[in-house]
Amino acid sequence: MPQQMIWFFVSIVLSLIAWGIVAARYIWPDLRHRQRAEALRPLLILHSFRFIGLAFLIPGVVSPDLPAAFAHSAAYGDIIAAILALVALQMLPSAAGVAAGWIFNLWGFADIVNAFYQANHAGLLAGQLGAAFFLPTVIVPLLLITHGLGFRILLQHQHRHELAMQESRHPA
């Protein structure tokens, strides 16, 4: 493994740790007591900026030898995720908005996993990312963590709703 790739992976791991600390200390304590729609809203707004992934398609920002399979998959996957985040945001707090939140979160998470797969499969080297190096080393770890928070919010609030429904059917 080339040394540049070691530093690349170290950067990703350290970013995951740093964003994990930020999420645990500042983001989650604020979101956990909100209603589901209000807890999802800031996460969806953050992900609406995923159009930045289009940078993988811009010559001069990335190396001309950036594998096209990776670049296209990452860029188009991100723009779809951004659009899904905006649609879900617009539809909240309705049940359709929550469903759109699920669709966004599943798509967005799968898109990131696919980007890692495509990068590995294409033999991507960190230097091929050019100025877009910050995306997988700073932005993607934040997106992964906020997808985790999104799943937690969606599942936790679903569980609370089911408990409330059971209690309403069987009052003590």
Side-chain angles (χ1 to χ4, degrees), residues 42-93:
L43 301 179
L44 292 167
I45 291 169
L46 171 69
H47 284 268
S48 72
F49 284 90
R50 284 179 71 167
F51 63 84
I52 294 170
L54 292 173
F56 292 125
L57 301 177
I58 302 173
V61 174
V62 296
S63 171
D65 62 342
L66 181 69
F70 165 78
H72 290 112
S73 176
Y76 296 126
D78 275 350
I79 194 68
I80 291 169
I83 291 167
L84 289 171
L86 289 169
V87 167
L89 188 60
Q90 185 64 35
M91 296 173 77
L92 284 176

Side-chain angles (χ1 to χ4, degrees), residues 134-157:
F134 76 95
L135 291 172
T137 58
V138 177
I139 304 300
V140 169
L142 173 61
L143 298 178
L144 281 171
I145 287 170
T146 55
H147 274 299
L149 292 176
F151 284 123
R152 187 169 181 179
I153 290 164
L154 288 163
L155 289 169
Q156 184 176 17
H157 285 277

